Amino acid sequence: MTVYTNTARFDGTARALTEDELHKLAPSVFATTAHHSRSEKFMPIPTIEVVRGLAKEGFSVVGASQSLARLPDRKLFTKHLLRIRQLDETVTFKTGDTVPEMQLKNANDGTGAYDLMSALFRISCLNSMVAWLNTLSSFKVRHSGKDVAAKVIEGTFSVIDQSRKALAAPEAWSSIQLANEEQMIFANAAHQIRFGEQIEGEAPVSAIEPVQLLQPRRWEDRSNDLWTTFNRVQENAIKGGLQGRRVNDNGVVRRSTTRLIKGVDQNVSLNKALFTLANAMAELKGIKIAA
């Protein structure tokens, strides 16, 4: 299951998922108690209560997914990821084809803290990236201690503001032109991030070349500026579909195709790393986007 769902529109407005749709995509969102394996010290954070609270402020869930549960009894408590966007038509925050969002990650089975992250969503490639800079960090709450629910609400609006600040990236990075050598430096670093550690069932590192991450999937992505280069690399790294070939020790040619990144944690960590890489490149070129 991917967070980029068919039930959420990907034009400039999008629409909110209904609670019925959300329940089908990520039933663990509705957990109000902790998994039975947790101790009394574990404080559950019901994601649905946060979602309903944000809805009153004009924020809606526009995409959802949850991790596969190895044990059936964890399905209703396991890790999930939501894309949340402000749909108030009287307030418009947008740069080009990119709008600010938040990504909410939570689990009530002990596999992760509550984490709300500033994010950007580029409409043309139907892909969401996590904005991860020194001044655009996420807001985490551990499932322990007192006033957990209050801490969650307290941190929400600070992340919303950070998402809007992240909109400076498309405009600023679009002004930075990269030479072919600089694009390859970026692609090589991204290749190490994506394929540096062998993933079970995935194509061997040597089967996919860094230059493949630079391949455009649509005409408008053929520009050499940093923003477009970043988006090409990010989409190729996450959506998969790259075909590779290698010759084994016996001289047999093996072909393989990279897969869509479906895991919640892997999706988030890869997005963070690539966004940070792009920001580092921008700073090397003399442009900072966060204040």
Side-chain angles (χ1 to χ4, degrees), residues 22-37:
L22 184 55
H23 194 278
K24 291 178 181 178
L25 294 168
S28 59
V29 167
F30 293 81
T32 57
T33 59
H35 186 261
H36 63 77
S37 63

Side-chain angles (χ1 to χ4, degrees), residues 14-48:
R15 73 163 175 83
L17 292 174
T18 66
E19 287 198 6
D20 285 343
E21 290 171 328
L22 184 55
H23 194 278
K24 291 178 181 178
L25 294 168
S28 59
V29 167
F30 293 81
T32 57
T33 59
H35 186 261
H36 63 77
S37 63
R38 301 299 92 199
S39 70
E40 293 182 356
K41 294 181 179 180
F42 184 92
M43 300 296 293
I45 300 176
T47 302
I48 188 58

Side-chain angles (χ1 to χ4, degrees), residues 113-291:
Y114 172 96
D115 194 357
L116 190 66
M117 300 158 279
S118 57
L120 296 175
F121 182 80
R122 186 179 177 221
I123 297 165
S124 64
C125 65
L126 311 188
N127 209 5
S128 188
M129 62 208 75
V130 177
W132 185 254
L133 306 173
N134 290 336
T135 54
L136 293 175
S137 58
S138 65
F139 177 80
K140 291 187 178 182
V141 179
R142 296 177 63 86
H143 289 262
S144 60
K146 298 181 180 180
D147 300 323
V148 171
K151 293 177 182 177
V152 168
I153 299 301
E154 178 184 342
T156 297
F157 285 95
S158 64
V159 175
I160 292 170
D161 289 339
Q162 299 291 7
S163 293
R164 293 168 183 164
K165 289 181 181 180
L167 275 178
E171 182 175 359
W173 295 357
S174 293
S175 69
I176 302 173
Q177 294 297 314
L178 298 181
N180 291 337
E181 295 81 1
E182 292 172 321
Q183 291 185 64
M184 281 307 306
I185 290 172
F186 188 91
N188 278 307
H191 185 274
Q192 179 63 32
I193 292 170
R194 173 63 176 87
F195 301 106
E197 296 183 5
Q198 184 62 48
I199 302 172
E200 184 178 355
E202 185 66 274
V205 173
S206 58
I208 303 299
E209 299 295 332
V211 69
Q212 291 178 260
L213 294 175
L214 293 171
Q215 294 175 351
R217 299 196 178 200
R218 58 191 61 81
W219 179 259
E220 59 266 31
D221 284 346
R222 298 177 68 87
S223 174
N224 293 330
D225 63 84
L226 175 58
W227 175 247
T228 307
T229 300
F230 161 67
N231 275 278
R232 290 202 309 266
V233 170
Q234 190 242 18
E235 185 173 13
N236 283 323
I238 289 178
K239 287 194 172 181
L242 301 180
Q243 296 182 347
R245 63 187 298 275
R246 66 189 295 266
V247 180
N248 65 18
D249 295 337
N250 297 320
V252 178
V253 176
R254 299 190 61 181
R255 292 179 173 81
S256 54
T257 303
T258 59
R259 298 176 299 177
L260 169 73
I261 298 296
K262 294 183 179 181
V264 169
D265 286 335
Q266 189 182 6
N267 184 293
V268 170
S269 62
L270 181 56
N271 264 297
K272 286 180 179 179
L274 293 176
F275 197 91
T276 301
L277 174 63
N279 188 61
M281 177 66 80
E283 292 189 353
L284 285 174
K285 301 286 280 187
I287 293 183
K288 293 185 178 182
I289 68 169

